């Protein structure tokens, strides 16, 4: 859960490509300077809920969903092909 909205300091380009302003001098890029931005601070106790997948990926279910979709596409194509041929025959006559 979000516990607070706080101001944090981040390094962003300043437009001056030659010199970085402290505390951003540790970056390998030049022309960085500190900027204050507002950020949402997450409660560390709930951070695991946001990043850990509790249920492992089910390859069997994914394969069956893919097979179903592929079967539907091929079925619709097999149905539409003769219909298109009949419509072309009617148009030409």
């Amino acid at each position: 859960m979000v516990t607070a909205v706080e101001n944090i300091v981040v390094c962003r380009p300043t437009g001056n490509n030659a010199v970085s302003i402290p505390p951003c001098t540790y970056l390998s890029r030049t022309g960085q300077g500190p900027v204050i931005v507002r950020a949402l601070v997450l409660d560390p106790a709930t951070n695991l809920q946001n990043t850990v997948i509790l249920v492992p990926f089910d390859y069997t279910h994914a394969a069956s969903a893919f097979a179903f979709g592929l079967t539907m596409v091929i079925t619709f194509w097999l149905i539409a092909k003769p219909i298109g041929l009949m419509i072309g025959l009617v148009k030409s006559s």
Side-chain angles (χ1 to χ4, degrees):
M1 302 306 272
V2 176
T3 57
V5 177
E6 294 183 6
N7 293 328
I8 62 169
V9 177
V10 295
C11 294
R12 291 206 177 144
T14 60
N16 181 2
N17 291 332
V19 179
S20 288
I21 302 168
C24 298
T25 54
Y26 67 92
L27 296 172
S28 60
R29 299 180 303 269
T30 58
Q32 300 285 316
V35 178
I36 298 175
V37 295
R38 294 183 62 105
L40 299 174
V41 179
L42 298 176
D43 182 14
T46 60
N47 192 24
L48 291 176
Q49 295 174 0
N50 299 331
T51 57
V52 175
I53 299 173
L54 299 177
V55 179
F57 187 74
D58 187 4
Y59 291 98
T60 306
H61 183 70
S64 64
F66 176 78
F68 176 75
L70 184 63
T71 304
M72 289 288 99
V73 167
I74 292 172
T75 303
F76 289 146
W77 179 78
L78 289 174
I79 291 171
K81 185 70 173 169
I83 292 173
L85 290 174
M86 285 187 243
I87 290 173
L89 182 66
V90 169
K91 279 185 175 180
S92 67
S93 60

